[in-house]
């Protein structure tokens, strides 16, 4: 699978970049336990460097799988679906977080930086890698179901945090479904962006709100999801 070389190089490059930052941080006599806080201040630079280098390379590789596009993308429904999925899961994950004791809800990064890095650049890179390249390459070798499972599991594992892994497993299947429906990498990118941006903006509000309000948001999102399914063709291939 020669085509997967750029995704592999991307993950290796990111690892080396973070390793060099950690080495620089520790060698200057800083507390290693505070490295995550330090890394969050450099998040935008890491994201921009990675995006500038790899997005053109990944797009070029994806072109080898690109097919004739006949279906018009319904951006509105994809955005709404991304928002709904994010709201529902984050309410659920927020209360689950107390038992699992993860740091998902302790992110003090600048909102604008997070929006750019994880809300825009991250989804573009991840969709090109997972749905655009890895999934398509696996489909050329294995069955659709096996390709979906491998791609989604790999996509989930890279998120490391158990809360994020659970969500990645759920949305990973949906992103592949959306990609197959529209046969266009732009579709899962839009959905992924909507989900990540909603999470970035919603989490600070979630922490401050009470149980009744959060459950109200969860139920409201569930109703919207049912309405979306009933009155649109979004879930029909």
């Amino acid at each position: 699978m020669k085509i997967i070389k750029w995704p592999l190089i991307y993950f290796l490059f990111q690892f080396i970049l973070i390793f060099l930052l950690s080495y620089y941080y520790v060698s200057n006599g800083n507390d290693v336990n505070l490295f995550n806080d330090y890394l969050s201040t450099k998040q935008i630079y890491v994201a921009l460097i990675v995006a500038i280098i790899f997005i053109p390379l990944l797009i070029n590789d994806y072109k080898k799988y690109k097919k004739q596009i006949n279906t018009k993308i319904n951006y509105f429904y994809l955005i709404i679906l991304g928002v709904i999925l994010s709201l529902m899961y984050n309410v659920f994950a927020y209360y689950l977080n107390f038992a699992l004791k993860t740091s998902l809800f302790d992110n003090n990064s600048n909102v604008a930086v997070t929006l750019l890095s994880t809300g825009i650049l991250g989804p573009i890179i991840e969709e090109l890698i997972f749905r655009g390249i890895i999934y398509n390459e696996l489909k050329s070798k294995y069955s659709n179901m096996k390709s979906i499972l491998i791609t989604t599991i790999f996509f989930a594992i890279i998120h490391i945090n158990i809360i994020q892994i659970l969500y990645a497993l759920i949305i990973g299947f949906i992103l592949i479904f959306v990609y197959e429906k529209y046969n266009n990498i732009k579709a899962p990118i839009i959905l992924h962006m909507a989900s990540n941006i909603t999470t970035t903006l919603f989490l600070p509000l979630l922490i401050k709100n009470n149980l009744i309000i959060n459950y109200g948001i969860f139920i409201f999102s569930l109703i919207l999801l049912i309405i979306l399914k009933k009155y649109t063709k979004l879930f029909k291939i």
Side-chain angles (χ1 to χ4, degrees):
M1 298 184 182
K2 296 181 180 180
I3 198 66
I4 301 207
K5 66 177 182 180
W6 286 120
L8 291 175
I9 293 174
Y10 161 78
F11 289 116
L12 180 62
F13 179 84
Q14 204 171 34
F15 173 80
I16 293 173
L17 193 57
I18 294 175
F19 174 80
L20 291 175
L21 282 172
S22 65
Y23 178 79
Y24 171 80
Y25 181 77
V26 174
S27 64
N28 280 278
N30 296 299
D31 186 351
V32 67
N33 294 318
L34 299 176
F35 175 67
N36 283 337
D37 293 334
Y38 170 77
L39 185 60
S40 69
T41 65
K42 305 298 180 184
Q43 181 182 9
I44 186 63
Y45 303 108
V46 173
L48 287 174
I49 290 172
V50 170
I52 290 171
I53 294 175
F54 284 96
I55 286 180
L57 296 172
L58 293 172
I59 289 176
N60 184 63
D61 274 1
Y62 170 66
K63 287 179 180 178
K64 299 174 183 179
Y65 298 105
K66 193 175 181 181
K67 302 175 184 177
Q68 185 66 33
I69 301 171
N70 299 317
T71 306
K72 184 178 179 180
I73 297 176
N74 195 324
Y75 293 104
F76 173 76
Y77 293 142
L78 290 175
I79 292 172
I80 295 300
L81 180 59
V83 170
I84 290 172
L85 291 173
S86 175
L87 291 177
M88 290 180 65
Y89 189 79
N90 277 297
V91 170
F92 168 76
Y94 176 61
Y95 294 104
L96 184 63
N97 180 59
F98 289 111
L100 296 176
K101 300 184 184 301
T102 70
S103 59
L104 178 63
F105 297 92
D106 298 324
N107 189 350
N108 296 316
S109 301
N110 182 278
V111 173
V113 169
T114 306
L115 283 175
L116 179 60
S117 58
T118 65
I120 297 175
L121 298 178
I124 293 174
I125 293 174
E126 289 183 1
E127 290 313 308
L128 284 169
I129 288 176
F130 288 100
R131 263 58 65 175
I133 298 175
I134 293 178
Y135 174 60
N136 277 310
E137 179 64 20
L138 287 172
K139 278 204 306 181
S140 68
K141 308 291 183 181
Y142 308 107
S143 67
N144 282 7
M145 183 53 65
K146 189 173 183 179
S147 301
I148 290 171
L149 288 173
I150 294 174
T151 303
T152 303
I153 291 172
F154 186 25
F155 175 65
I157 289 173
I158 66 154
H159 287 78
I160 302 175
N161 184 296
I162 184 62
I163 295 289
Q164 295 176 351
I165 286 176
L166 291 174
Y167 185 54
L169 283 172
I170 296 170
I171 199 170
F173 283 103
I174 296 173
L175 288 167
I176 289 181
F177 177 89
V178 168
Y179 175 68
E180 287 286 1
K181 174 179 174 63
Y182 290 106
N183 199 23
N184 189 330
I185 198 63
K186 291 179 182 178
I189 286 176
I190 293 299
L191 174 58
H192 199 157
M193 281 183 178
S195 175
N196 283 15
I197 289 173
T198 301
T199 296
T200 300
L201 297 176
F202 181 64
L203 281 183
L205 299 176
L206 183 66
I207 295 172
K208 296 176 183 178
N209 287 333
N210 59 41
L211 180 64
I212 296 176
I213 294 176
N214 288 330
Y215 279 151
I217 293 171
F218 181 89
I219 294 171
F220 177 71
S221 300
L222 180 60
I223 293 172
L224 283 180
L225 185 62
I226 294 171
I227 293 174
L228 197 67
K229 181 180 184 301
K230 184 175 181 180
Y231 293 103
T232 73
K233 296 180 179 180
L234 182 63
F235 297 93
K236 298 177 181 178
I237 298 180

